[in-house]
């Protein structure tokens, strides 16, 4: 009986219906409804990229800073996660090769933006290694040497961590790593000046712009 009604629902309700439920739950800051709405959309086969891009991010735009904290909880509680098989299938169909390493710079514990960027990358089919927050410059360097790693994404929200950004960039933009990995900076403390001065290959004003840039790199 349950299966029949689920099948009926999935045929009669469009993705837009489930996405609107997510926007509403996020925008009114109802954590449990948000969790249920996301789970329902996943069960009904709405693509993860649409759940985040058209649902969570739109809802966040309407909910202000409290919404950000709720979304952080949802992401960190792994309510939103991307199926590994689906990620591999997408990677193949989109001709991606190589891995992306992402982390928040040493001294900085902001995780929300980095997590959103990481989950969007995965929902596009990218193979992402997430190093977490407060990541030592040396650790980025260590991962940059791994054979499949093509892109390093660094999240940076605290101005006080600027010396660490300069440190990691001088490790990644010298010697043999210089031509091996491309580096993209993201997060509220990034400026065009710092990206230019440190020789970063790119910086992103938001996760979607970042993903578009990385997509080109993984195809070349
Ligand atoms: C939420 C928050 C917190 C939470 C973090 C929760 C968490 N789990 O992340 C908590 C309460 C823990 C916190 C702590 C602190 N915070 Co705080 N925090 C914020 C706040 C309000 C929102 C940040 C956020 O999550 N934004 C939402 C996400 C989605 O946006 P985002 O990070 O910009 O990410 C987007 C893009 O930038 C991009 N992106 C991000 N990273 C990357 C990486 C790559 C590779 C790519 C491609 C894209 C990308 O993708 C995201 C989606 O588009 C900001 C204010 C603000 N408006 O930015 C202050 C802010 C960043 N915090 C600030 C400060 C000072 C602190 C504290 C030092 C406070 C204190 N005295 O203790 C501590 C930090 C301690 C530490 N060592 O890190 C300051 C930083 C000022 C500065 N320029 O240095 C800010 C700007 C507030 C302010 N106006 O003063 N904070």
């Amino acid at each position: 009986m349950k299966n029949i009604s689920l099948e009926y629902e999935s045929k009669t309700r469009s993705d837009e219906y489930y996405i609107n439920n997510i926007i509403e739950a996020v925008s009114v800051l109802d954590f449990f409804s948000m969790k249920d709405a996301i789970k329902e959309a996943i069960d009904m086969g709405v693509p993860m990229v649409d759940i985040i891009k058209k649902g969570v991010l739109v809802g966040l735009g309407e909910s202000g800073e409290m919404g950000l904290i709720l979304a952080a909880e949802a992401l960190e509680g792994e309510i939103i996660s991307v199926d590994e098989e689906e990620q591999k299938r997408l990677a193949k169909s989109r001709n991606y090769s190589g891995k992306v390493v992402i982390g928040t710079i040493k001294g900085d514990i902001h995780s929300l933006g980095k997590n959103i960027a990481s989950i969007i990358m995965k929902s596009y089919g990218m193979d992402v290694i997430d190093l977490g927050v407060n990541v030592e410059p040396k650790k980025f360097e260590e991962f940059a040497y791994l054979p499949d790693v093509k892109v390093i994404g660094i999240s940076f929200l605290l101005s006080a961590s600027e010396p660490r950004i300069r440190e990691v960039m001088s490790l990644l933009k010298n010697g043999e790593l210089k031509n091996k990995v491309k580096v993209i900076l993201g997060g509220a403390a990034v400026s065009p000046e710092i990206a230019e001065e440190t020789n970063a290959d790119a910086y992103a004003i938001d996760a979607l712009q970042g993903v578009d840039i990385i997509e080109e790199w993984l195809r070349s």
Side-chain angles (χ1 to χ4, degrees), residues 182-219:
K182 296 231 186 243
V183 185
I184 180 164
L185 303 177
V190 175
S191 64
E193 292 75 30
I194 198 161
E196 201 184 323
E197 282 167 29
T198 59
N199 286 326
D201 297 282
Y203 73 96
I205 53 161
D206 61 31
L208 294 174
Q209 189 193 47
V211 170
D212 284 344
I213 295 169
I214 295 172
E215 182 158 57
E216 282 196 19
W217 293 342
L218 293 181
R219 280 185 177 145

Side-chain angles (χ1 to χ4, degrees), residues 57 65 68-69 72 76 102 107-114 116-117 121 153-160 184-189 204-208 210-211 214:
L57 292 180
E65 283 186 3
L68 298 173
I69 313 288
E76 273 156 20
I102 190 167
D108 187 342
I109 58 153
H110 292 89
S111 58
L112 178 53
K114 186 259 306 158
I116 289 183
M121 289 172 199
I154 305 172
S155 190
F156 165 48
L157 278 86
L158 273 192
S159 312
I184 180 164
L185 303 177
I205 53 161
D206 61 31
L208 294 174
V211 170
I214 295 172

Side-chain angles (χ1 to χ4, degrees), residues 130-151:
D130 188 337
L131 301 180
V133 298
N134 194 27
V135 180
E136 294 278 357
K138 276 268 172 207
K139 191 158 184 186
F140 281 110
E141 184 194 27
E142 198 185 300
F143 275 78
Y145 275 110
L146 296 180
D148 289 344
V149 171
K150 225 171 168 181
V151 179

Side-chain angles (χ1 to χ4, degrees), residues 80-97:
I80 305 177
S81 61
V82 179
D83 180 65
E84 218 175 291
E85 289 306 310
E86 169 76 355
Q87 179 262 315
K88 284 188 183 145
R89 194 188 59 72
L90 284 169
K92 210 170 164 194
S93 70
R94 293 178 173 181
N95 277 330
Y96 295 157
S97 79

Side-chain angles (χ1 to χ4, degrees), residues 26 51-62 116 120 207-208:
V26 177
I51 291 178
I52 296 169
K53 210 164 142 177
K54 299 182 185 165
V56 178
L57 292 180
V58 173
L60 280 179
E62 295 172 11
I116 289 183
I120 294 179
L208 294 174

